[in-house]
Every structure is written in C-alpha cells, then in structure tokens.
Amino acid sequence: MKTTVYILYSPLVDRYFVGKTSNLEKSLARHNSGKNKHTKTGLPWNLMYRESFDSADAAREKEVQIKSSVNREQLIGFIRSDSNELNNDNP
C-alpha cells in the first residue's frame, strides 16, 4: 500500500499543514470537514503538494524533511519541485 505525503494550504489563515496518509481522499475530506483539530480553523484547505511512496518509512522521512523546513520559502520550494506529483498532472 502506498503512503502519500501532502501539503495543504489555507488562504483563510495563510497557513500550511504537512501530513502523511494511506488514503489521501479520506484525509482531505476529514481536514475540510473540521474534524481535525489542527486544521479545523482554516477551512477550506487546498492540496498543494502530493508525493507517493511504496514504503511508509520513506514517506515518514520525507514528511520529517518537509516539516523541518525553517521558512516559508523552503516549503514553497517543495511545492514547486519536480517531486510534487501535482506538477506532473498538468500537461
């Protein structure tokens, strides 16, 4: 089963959220339903980054790498990177 690392953005609170999941659609629905205590104040949340991994350990490493970003510019760098599968969805 693949594990996905993702970055969400809330324009309402101008904040990013980084997470990992084995079911991205379910996680996005939960974040946008207000059922997650970390994201309930920023509705709606927009998916800005998605990267899938075959191993949960590799996904955890990437999540830690992203969460270790020291500033917004580094976070935006991940969003703009070639590893962001959303960048590959647009022809």
Side-chain angles (χ1 to χ4, degrees):
M1 178 183 308
K2 291 203 179 254
T3 303
T4 303
V5 175
Y6 60 93
I7 300 173
L8 303 177
Y9 175 71
S10 167
L12 180 67
V13 293
D14 191 28
R15 206 177 102 218
Y16 291 91
F17 177 87
V18 179
K20 70 177 180 340
T21 184
S22 58
N23 187 331
L24 184 58
E25 287 182 24
K26 183 178 178 182
S27 292
L28 290 174
R30 185 167 177 81
H31 286 295
N32 280 311
S33 71
K35 293 181 181 177
N36 182 299
K37 70 178 182 175
H38 299 292
T39 57
K40 68 181 176 183
T41 60
L43 302 176
W45 290 87
N46 302 312
L47 181 63
M48 303 299 292
Y49 175 93
R50 176 186 76 209
E51 185 175 359
S52 301
F53 295 87
D54 291 325
S55 114
D57 289 338
R60 176 70 181 141
E61 287 177 24
K62 185 65 162 207
E63 180 188 31
V64 168
Q65 180 187 17
I66 293 172
K67 285 184 173 180
S68 297
S69 298
V70 295
N71 59 44
R72 185 173 284 242
E73 288 77 25
Q74 286 182 335
L75 203 58
I76 291 170
F78 283 105
I79 293 168
R80 292 181 177 158
S81 72
D82 290 337
S83 61
N84 183 355
E85 295 167 4
L86 298 176
N87 294 339
N88 301 327
D89 286 348
N90 299 321

